[in-house]
C-alpha cells in the first residue's frame, strides 16, 4: 500500500510527466545498449572460439572469411566497436587494447552515454539546483563532450575517488551510473546484477540470454570486519529499553552514522526472544576512514549484495551469537536500508536465521526481493528525499513487485536536501505527519515489541582500504564543543579547490579594517599592503561540504614586526612563522562551518548562498546574498610550493592563531584574466570592507590556484594579545 500515491511532476505539453517520460526513454535506450553488449559478447566469443580457429586452419577460404567478417563487425567504424573481453588474457585482450588505441569505442558504451544524458535531464526537471552541484558538474562535463571523449571521461570519473565523493549527493543517478559503468568496462567484472539493473530487470531472474558467457563471477571483493564496542554512558541513557518502530529508529539516530551498528535481543509478547539489527546510513560529505560506511562503500552496497558493508554486518551477527533458526528483523536508514535489504537476499543468512521483517527508511532499495518470500518488506520515503530511487523503480521496473511489501511514500514538510533525508526528520514525520504509517509498521512488528534484553554495538571496518586521506590526513584529533555540537579538530578537508586573488591596497585602509589594537599592523611595502580574496569550494570535509569566501589582510609579527619578514617567513616551517593573514570577513554556505569559524577560529563568519566552480581554468564564483562575483579564465601559470599558512582572528580580548597545512599542486598566475564584480547594493560587511580597500571592480595583481587539494586546520590557539 502507499500512504500517498500521487507523485507531483512537471507535465509535458501532451499531458505526460516530463521526468517519467525521460526516464522511460533512458530505460529503453539502456536496454538497447545492453542488447548491443550481449551481441558483442556473443560475437567476441564466436570470433575467438577454438572450433572456428580450427576450421580456419583446415579451410582457410571459408574459415578465414568468417573470422574476417566477425572481426569487421566488432572493430569496424560502423560495427559494434571494441570486442568485449570475456577472458582475462589471450587474443581477446590484445584486440580490446588495439581497439582502444585506434579509438574504436564500444557502440554499447556510446549508447549508454546517451541514456545517462537522458537520466541527467530527468533529474534536473525536478531538481534544477543540481546544475550547481560539483558532482553533477563533473558528470555533465564528462558526458557533454563528443561521444568517444565522453566514454573516456566517464571511465576516468569512475576511477577517481574524489569524483565519487563529489557524486555522493546525486543518488537518483546511481542506478544509471552503475549500468553505464558496466557497459564502459572493457573487462566486465561487475556481475549480473549490474546488467539486470541496466535493463531494468529483476536481478534475481538471472543474466540476459547470452550475456553471461565467460564472465567472471561477482565484483572484486574487499575484506570486512566488525569489532564489539561499548556505548557511552550518555548513549546508554537514550537507547530504547522497549521495542517499537520509533524506538529502533531513535537507536539508529544515536549511532550517529559513525560506522557502528546495533544488535538487540527483544522478548516478544509471546515470551520468545527475537533479534533486531539496526543499521544507520552515511552522512553526506563525511569520510568514514577505514569504515565501509563511506560513499565508495555505499556505491558497492547499492549495486552488489556482497560488499564489505554487508560482510561486516554478518561478522557482527556471528560474534553476537544468535542461535540458528532464530527470528531476525533488519531495520536500516539510507545506506543502512540498502545493506539490510542485501542481507535479506543472502541465501546463507536465510538458511541460518528466519528473516521475518526488513524495514528501510529513506533507502533506494527498489524492487529488490528477499530470499525468503515470507519476509515482510517495508519502505518509508519522503517524496522530497532524493536518495530513494522509487521513481526509477516505477519507470524502469519490468517485473512484479514483491507480494509481501508495504510502501509509504508521503509528502513531508521538509523540502531542502539533505535535511529531508535526515533520520530525525523521518522520526518527526512518523510522529506527526503520517502517524498511520507508524501504526501500520508497529502492528507488523508486534512480535518485536517488548522489553529489550541485551544490546551490543559493533564498529564496522573495511580492511581493504587505508583510511581516507592517508597518510596526510591521518592525524590525532580532539573534540571541541560548539553550540551545534562537538567538532573534531583539526578539521580535515579531503577534497577542495581554491583560488586566492591578491590585491595591492592602501596600507592605511587595510589597517582600518584590523581591530583597534597596536600589535596588529598590515605588512607594508612602501605605502601599500596586500589583501587576499580567497575562494574555496570544499566538496568533502569533516564539517560537511560548503563554499567559502574570505577576505584577509597580510599582517606582521604580533610581538616583533620586522621589515621583509614576509619573505623570510616563506623559508620557515609554517608552525615557526611570525606573519600571517588576519581574516576581516568570512562568508560560508554551511551552518556548521559558520559556527566552527566563529567559535573555534575566532573569524567573523556569516551565512550565505553561493555558486562556485574552481576546478578548471574557467573560474566562476557568485553570491547574490553578498552581491559579489568573480569570473574569468586563469592564464598560463608556474608551479609553486603548496603554501601552508597562518590565519588570525579575534575572540573577545584575545587573538586566535590557526595553523593550516595543505597538500596539493598550486600554480601562480597573472591576475589579468580574472575580474571582480561588486554590485552597487552589495551587502555588508564583506562588500563594505572591499569598498574601503578600493577593491570594487577590477583585476587582481596575481592569482594562486589549486584545483584539487587536501588540507587541515588546527584548533585556534588563543594568544594573550
Amino acid at each position: 500500500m502507499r500512504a500517498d500515491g500521487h507523485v507531483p511532476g512537471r507535465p509535458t505539453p501532451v499531458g505526460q510527466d516530463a521526468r517519467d517520460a525521460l526516464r522511460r526513454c533512458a530505460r529503453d535506450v539502456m536496454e538497447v545498449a545492453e542488447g548491443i553488449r550481449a551481441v558483442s559478447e556473443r560475437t567476441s566469443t564466436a570470433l575467438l572460439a577454438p572450433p572456428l580457429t580450427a576450421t580456419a586452419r583446415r579451410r582457410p577460404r571459408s574459415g578465414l572469411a568468417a573470422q574476417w567478417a566477425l572481426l569487421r563487425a566488432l572493430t569496424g567504424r560502423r560495427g559494434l566497436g571494441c570486442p568485449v573481453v570475456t577472458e582475462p588474457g589471450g587474443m581477446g585482450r590484445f584486440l580490446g587494447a588495439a581497439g582502444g588505441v585506434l579509438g574504436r569505442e564500444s557502440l554499447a558504451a556510446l549508447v549508454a552515454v546517451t541514456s545517462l544524458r537522458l537520466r541527467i535531464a530527468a533529474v534536473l526537471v525536478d531538481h534544477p539546483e543540481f546544475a550547481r552541484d560539483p558532482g553533477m558538474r563533473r558528470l555533465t562535463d564528462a558526458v557533454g563532450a563528443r561521444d568517444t571523449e565522453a566514454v573516456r571521461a566517464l571511465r576516468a570519473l569512475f576511477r577517481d575517488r574524489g569524483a565519487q565523493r563529489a557524486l555522493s549527493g546525486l543518488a537518483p543517478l546511481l542506478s544509471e551510473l552503475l549500468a553505464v559503468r558496466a557497459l564502459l568496462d572493457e573487462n566486465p567484472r561487475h556481475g549480473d546484477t549490474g546488467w539486470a539493473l541496466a535493463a531494468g530487470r529483476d536481478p534475481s531472474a538471472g543474466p540476459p540470454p547470452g550475456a553471461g558467457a565467460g564472465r567472471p563471477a561477482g565484483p572484486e571483493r574487499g575484506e570486512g570486519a566488525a569489532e564489539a564496542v561499548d556505548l557511552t554512558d550518555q548513549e546508554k541513557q537514550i537507547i530504547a529499553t522497549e521495542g517499537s518502530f520509533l524506538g529502533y529508529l531513535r537507536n539508529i539516530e544515536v549511532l550517529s552514522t559513525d560506522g557502528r551498528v546495533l544488535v538487540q535481543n527483544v522478548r516478544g509478547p509471546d515470551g520468545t526472544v527475537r533479534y533486531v539489527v539496526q543499521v544507520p546510513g552515511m552522512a553526506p560529505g563525511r569520510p568514514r576512514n577505514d569504515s565501509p560506511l563511506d560513499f565508495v562503500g555505499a556505491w558497492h552496497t547499492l549495486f552488489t549484495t556482497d560488499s564489505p558493508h554487508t560482510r561486516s554486518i554478518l561478522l557482527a551477527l556471528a560474534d553476537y551469537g544468535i542461535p540458528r533458526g532464530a527470528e531476525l528483523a533488519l531495520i536500516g536508514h539510507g545506506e543502512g536500508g540498502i545493506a539490510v535489504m542485501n542481507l535479506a537476499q543472502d541465501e546463507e543468512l536465510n538458511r541460518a536465521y528466519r528473516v521475518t521483517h526488513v524495514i528501510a527508511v529513506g533507502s533506494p532499495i527498489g524492487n529488490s526481493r528477499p530470499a525468503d518470500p515470507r519476509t515482510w518488506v517495508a519502505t518509508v520515503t519522503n517524496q522530497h528525499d532524493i536518495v530513494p530511487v522509487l521513481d526509477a523503480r516505477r519507470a524502469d521496473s519490468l517485473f512484479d513487485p514483491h507480494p509481501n511489501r508495504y510502501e509509504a511514500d508521503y509528502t513531508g514538510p521538509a523540502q531542502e536536501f539533505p535535511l529531508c533525508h535526515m533520520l530525525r526528520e523521518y522520526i518527526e514525520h512518523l510522529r506527526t505527519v503520517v502517524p498511520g504509517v507508524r501504526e501500520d509498521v508497529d502492528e507488523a512488528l508486534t512480535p518485536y515489541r517488548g522489553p529489550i534484553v541485551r544490546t551490543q554495538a559493533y564498529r564496522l571496518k573495511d580492511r581493504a582500504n587505508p583510511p581516507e586521506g592517508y597518510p596526510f590526513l591521518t592525524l590525532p584529533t580532539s573534540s571541541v564543543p560548539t553550540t551545534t555540537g562537538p567538532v573534531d579538530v583539526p578539521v580535515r578537508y579531503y577534497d577542495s579547490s581554491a583560488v586566492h586573488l591578491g590585491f595591492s591596497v592602501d596600507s592605511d585602509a587595510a589597517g582600518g579594517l584590523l581591530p583597534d589594537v597596536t600589535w596588529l599592523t598590515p605588512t607594508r611595502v612602501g605605502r601599500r599592503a596586500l589583501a587576499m580574496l580567497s575562494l574555496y569550494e570544499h566538496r568533502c570535509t569533516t564539517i560537511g561540504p560548503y563554499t567559502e569566501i574570505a577576505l584577509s589582510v597580510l599582517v606582521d609579527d604580533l610581538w616583533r614586526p620586522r621589515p621583509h619578514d614576509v619573505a623570510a617567513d616563506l623559508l620557515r616551517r609554517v608552525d615557526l612563522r611570525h606573519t600571517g593573514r588576519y581574516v576581516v570577513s568570512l562568508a560560508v554556505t554551511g551552518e556548521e562551518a559558520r559556527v566552527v569559524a566563529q567559535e573555534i577560529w575566532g573569524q567573523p563568519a556569516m551565512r550565505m548562498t553561493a555558486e562556485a566552480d574552481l576546478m578548471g581554468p574557467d573560474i566562476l564564483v557568485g553570491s547574490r546574498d553578498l552581491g559579489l562575483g568573480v569570473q574569468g579564465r586563469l592564464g598560463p601559470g608556474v608551479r609553486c610550493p603548496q603554501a601552508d599558512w597562518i590565519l588570525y582572528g579575534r575572540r573577545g580580548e584575545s587573538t586566535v592563531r590557526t595553523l593550516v597545512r595543505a597538500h596539493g599542486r598550486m600554480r601562480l598566475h597573472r591576475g589579468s584574466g580574472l575580474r571582480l564584480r561588486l554590485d552597487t547594493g552589495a551587502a555588508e560587511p564583506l562588500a563594505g570592507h572591499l569598498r574601503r580597500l578600493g577593491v570594487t571592480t577590477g583585476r587582481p595583481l596575481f592569482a594562486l590556484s589549486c584545483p584539487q587539494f587536501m588540507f587541515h586546520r588546527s584548533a585556534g590557539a588563543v594568544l594573550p594579545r
Side-chain angles (χ1 to χ4, degrees), residues 29-42:
V29 173
M30 187 57 73
E31 286 181 8
V32 172
E34 192 264 352
I36 295 171
R37 179 65 178 255
V39 172
S40 182
E41 276 199 353
R42 293 195 295 270

Side-chain angles (χ1 to χ4, degrees), residues 518-546:
T518 58
W519 52 83
L520 268 174
T521 58
T523 300
R524 289 179 170 83
V525 180
R527 294 191 57 81
R528 307 298 289 178
L530 184 65
M532 299 291 293
L533 184 64
S534 300
L535 315 171
Y536 297 94
E537 183 183 6
H538 303 305
R539 291 175 290 274
C540 184
T541 82
T542 54
I543 56 174
Y546 68 98

Side-chain angles (χ1 to χ4, degrees), residues 24-295:
R24 282 194 293 271
C25 290
R27 179 205 63 191
D28 294 341
V29 173
M30 187 57 73
E31 286 181 8
V32 172
E34 192 264 352
I36 295 171
R37 179 65 178 255
V39 172
S40 182
E41 276 199 353
R42 293 195 295 270
T43 306
S44 300
T45 302
L47 173 64
L48 304 174
L52 182 59
T53 304
T55 301
R57 286 198 299 266
R58 291 196 306 268
R59 298 181 179 86
R61 187 168 184 177
S62 59
L64 287 177
Q67 282 190 319
W68 178 247
L70 291 172
L71 185 61
R72 287 182 59 191
L74 283 170
T75 60
R77 288 186 177 275
R78 298 183 179 180
L80 297 169
C82 296
V84 175
V85 182
T86 57
E87 296 181 1
M91 184 59 69
R93 170 65 63 188
F94 171 77
L95 291 175
V101 171
L102 295 173
R104 301 289 195 269
E105 291 294 352
S106 165
L107 179 60
L110 300 179
V111 176
V113 170
T114 302
S115 175
L116 183 56
R117 287 171 178 156
L118 289 168
R119 184 59 67 96
I120 291 174
V123 171
L124 292 178
V125 168
D126 282 347
H127 297 284
E129 69 278 7
F130 270 8
R132 302 186 298 271
D133 184 273
M136 179 67 84
R137 192 167 61 243
R138 295 190 71 170
L139 187 60
T140 51
D141 288 346
V143 301
R146 291 181 299 177
D147 284 339
T148 54
E149 294 175 0
V151 170
R152 293 164 188 158
L154 280 172
R155 285 200 186 108
L157 198 66
F158 288 130
R159 289 192 294 265
D160 184 356
R161 287 180 64 92
Q164 292 176 357
R165 287 194 298 266
L167 292 169
S168 62
L170 308 179
L173 292 172
L174 291 185
S175 59
E176 192 80 0
L177 281 170
L178 180 84
V180 172
R181 181 178 186 174
L183 291 167
L184 296 183
D185 199 349
E186 300 95 333
N187 184 17
R189 296 186 301 256
H190 302 290
D192 295 328
T193 301
W195 287 78
L197 286 168
R201 285 198 297 270
D202 179 4
S204 65
R215 184 181 299 122
E220 199 170 306
R221 299 188 174 191
E223 295 182 16
E227 176 188 6
V229 293
D230 293 328
L231 297 171
T232 65
D233 293 338
Q234 182 179 2
E235 290 172 338
K236 290 176 181 178
Q237 295 175 3
I238 303 173
I239 291 293
T241 57
E242 191 81 12
S244 69
F245 182 36
L246 288 189
Y248 295 134
L249 292 184
R250 290 192 181 101
N251 291 348
I252 294 175
E253 187 182 18
V254 169
L255 297 179
S256 184
T257 64
D258 64 353
R260 293 178 297 169
V261 300
L262 199 68
V263 186
Q264 290 184 309
N265 292 17
V266 56
R267 189 177 302 278
D270 58 356
T272 303
V273 174
R274 297 176 177 87
Y275 302 84
V276 186
V277 180
Q278 299 143 68
V279 185
M282 175 192 67
R286 292 177 181 268
R288 288 296 162 242
N289 296 332
D290 59 347
S291 168
L293 271 73
D294 58 6
F295 175 65

Side-chain angles (χ1 to χ4, degrees), residues 399-413:
F399 56 95
D400 294 331
H402 178 61
N404 197 13
R405 192 181 191 100
Y406 176 97
E407 294 181 11
D409 188 19
Y410 67 94
T411 303

Side-chain angles (χ1 to χ4, degrees), residues 644-682:
D644 299 333
W645 62 92
I646 298 294
L647 296 178
Y648 289 113
R650 290 284 289 178
R651 187 189 306 153
E653 298 299 319
S654 303
T655 302
V656 180
R657 182 179 187 264
T658 303
L659 186 150
V660 181
R661 291 186 181 273
H663 176 65
R665 297 182 177 180
M666 182 168 282
R667 299 186 74 87
L668 174 65
H669 310 262
R670 294 177 58 189
S672 56
L674 300 175
R675 191 171 191 86
L676 170 69
R677 174 187 55 79
L678 193 65
D679 295 344
T680 305

